[in-house]
Amino acid sequence: MSTEARTEQKSMIIEDWWEPPMPPTDLIFDDGEPMESNRHRIAMNVLIRSINQAFANRDDFFTGGNMFIYYSSTQARNRDFKGPDFFVVLDVDGTRERQGWVVWEENGRYPNVIVELMSPSTAEADMGVKKNIYEQIFRTPDYYVFNPFNPDSLQGWHLDANQQYQPLIPNEQGWLWCQRLGLWLATWEGTIDRETAVWLRFYDQAGNLVLLPEEAANARAERLAARLRELGEDPDSI
């Protein structure tokens, strides 16, 4: 057998045994760093609980917050990006538990909606490098930023036909439409978890506040009490 033939045969054997590189498996999902403030933590949980309430009859979505998102081997090794404060992914199995969002384990799916809860120390990144990642790598259709300590800080962008972010124009009330969720994002003033502030909340297409689970339970109790009074019954005695 000639040298050329042996080389070709060896090359064929190598090709038969070649396997693509495996993605990293030593991923971390908790860096031990808390959110900027207690208000930021509450604000994140309000958004998560609101979406779970709005989509209570669905199991084809996943919503998370302050979770790592891994999208490439390089990013996983460098750990130069962690993840958004709040995000929603649609058309996925929402019943499966996840420690974080690992794109290559999710059939290449990225978040459809992202909200960053800004602070003075994160605003530059949220409006700069992170916004670029969400636009150019994630291709996240709807992106918003809001500082829980600044009621007038809400801004949003939507990907246009050229896959570039264009600023969302607020309506007369200052609300921003979220096309992928079919909901409005706007502020609401009140007390949640014993903290009174202006919170970022979701509203339905008709302008009704998307209630948190405990708010929905209270509303049902109030309607029942009103009905009992109409019937001449004292709801406090039942």
Side-chain angles (χ1 to χ4, degrees):
M1 181 182 295
S2 67
T3 302
E4 182 177 344
R6 284 196 298 270
T7 301
E8 183 177 354
Q9 184 181 37
K10 184 177 180 181
S11 176
M12 291 176 62
I13 293 174
I14 292 174
E15 289 180 2
D16 288 341
W17 282 94
W18 183 85
E19 292 183 0
M22 298 299 292
T25 57
D26 58 338
L27 304 177
I28 63 171
F29 295 101
D30 183 4
D31 59 5
E33 294 184 11
M35 296 196 71
E36 283 78 6
S37 70
N38 185 56
R39 186 176 297 183
H40 280 79
R41 179 187 60 79
I42 297 173
M44 176 192 71
N45 288 331
V46 165
L47 294 174
I48 293 172
R49 289 192 289 151
S50 296
I51 288 299
N52 285 331
Q53 181 72 14
F55 296 164
N57 297 322
R58 297 172 52 174
D59 59 9
D60 62 344
F61 72 97
F62 178 81
T63 180
N66 198 30
M67 295 174 63
F68 284 14
I69 293 182
Y70 288 105
Y71 59 89
S72 76
S73 296
T74 300
Q75 173 252 347
R77 286 194 301 269
N78 295 339
R79 294 172 181 170
D80 55 357
F81 170 78
K82 296 176 182 178
D85 293 320
F86 167 82
F87 67 95
V88 181
V89 189
L90 301 173
D91 302 318
V92 295
D93 180 5
T95 64
R96 183 163 65 85
E97 290 190 9
R98 298 167 170 90
Q99 290 182 285
W101 190 264
V102 184
V103 170
W104 56 84
E105 294 179 356
E106 303 286 353
N107 296 319
R109 297 301 307 278
Y110 288 88
N112 298 98
V113 179
I114 288 176
V115 177
E116 290 289 2
L117 299 169
M118 297 190 300
S119 68
S121 64
T122 68
E124 182 177 355
D126 293 336
M127 299 284 287
V129 62
K130 282 192 171 184
K131 181 168 174 277
N132 290 336
I133 289 173
Y134 302 151
E135 176 190 56
Q136 299 170 16
I137 298 177
F138 286 21
R139 302 295 188 191
T140 294
D142 295 308
Y143 175 49
Y144 305 85
V145 295
F146 179 72
N147 182 342
F149 289 91
N150 181 356
D152 300 320
S153 61
L154 178 61
Q155 298 182 66
W157 297 266
H158 180 77
L159 279 182
D160 64 13
N162 296 319
Q163 298 296 295
Q164 294 180 334
Y165 275 146
Q166 298 300 328
L168 289 169
I169 306 301
N171 68 1
E172 298 82 0
Q173 298 167 281
W175 298 8
L176 296 181
W177 179 245
C178 183
Q179 181 175 317
R180 294 311 304 269
L181 298 180
L183 298 169
W184 292 97
L185 264 173
T187 55
W188 173 89
E189 186 173 2
T191 302
I192 300 177
D193 291 348
R194 298 180 297 177
E195 182 158 352
T196 301
V198 175
W199 305 100
L200 187 62
R201 302 287 300 265
F202 287 105
Y203 293 78
D204 65 20
Q205 295 187 45
N208 301 305
L209 180 68
V210 174
L211 300 179
L212 299 171
E214 61 271 25
E215 292 173 332
N218 290 337
R220 287 192 296 270
E222 290 173 1
R223 289 195 297 270
L224 176 59
R227 179 56 179 161
L228 289 172
R229 293 189 187 97
E230 291 176 359
L231 297 173
E233 299 286 347
D234 181 4
D236 295 329
S237 64
I238 297 177

